[in-house]
Amino acid sequence: MKVGAGTIKDRFPEKFGYFERQINENRHNLFWYFLFLRLAPVVPNLLINTASGLVGIPFGTYVTASLVGQIPFTLIYIKTGMMLDELTTVGGIDFKSMLGLGALALIALIPTYLTKKDANEVEAELSDQKSSA
């Protein structure tokens, strides 16, 4: 028995049900799907953290995808802090620093793009299988 499972399911039945369906549909590609959830700012981390144990995401997948998924954001925070440390006057951010921050943001989007592309291919394949059945 999972502590609080009934409360979460009763309090947020639509969101939990949707999350559970999505996880079950992506079981074959769970690491990449979970990494996508971590990188995409659409799903709140609190929901991911709470519901992951309830829908049976393996602990190893949860930890690994969470760690990898936090790297781009951590790099952005570090770069932003370094840029703010270099500021001596308001408006003192140079073009090189802005370009670096933009590059970090784009790098953070690469895994999201790749996983979304994989998810779309799998979804198209599943649609083909359903229509041929």
Side-chain angles (χ1 to χ4, degrees), residues 40-111:
V42 180
V43 183
N45 277 334
L46 178 63
L47 176 65
I48 293 172
N49 295 339
T50 305
S52 293
L54 300 177
V55 297
I57 292 178
F59 183 71
T61 301
Y62 173 82
V63 170
T64 307
S66 295
L67 288 173
V68 172
Q70 292 302 315
I71 291 172
F73 298 112
T74 303
L75 293 175
I76 290 171
Y77 297 147
I78 291 169
K79 180 63 178 172
T80 302
M82 290 169 48
M83 287 172 45
L84 290 173
D85 187 48
E86 293 174 5
L87 285 178
T88 55
T89 61
V90 175
I93 299 175
D94 62 347
F95 180 72
K96 183 180 174 185
S97 295
M98 291 302 292
L99 192 61
L101 186 58
L104 283 173
L106 289 175
I107 288 170
L109 289 176
I110 291 171

Side-chain angles (χ1 to χ4, degrees), residues 7 17-18 20 76 103:
T7 304
Y18 177 76
E20 189 172 33
I76 290 171

Side-chain angles (χ1 to χ4, degrees), residues 115-130:
T115 56
K116 188 163 182 93
K117 184 178 176 183
D118 287 344
N120 288 339
E121 289 172 2
V122 169
E123 194 171 302
E125 192 175 301
L126 289 174
S127 294
D128 289 343
Q129 290 175 356
K130 286 180 182 178

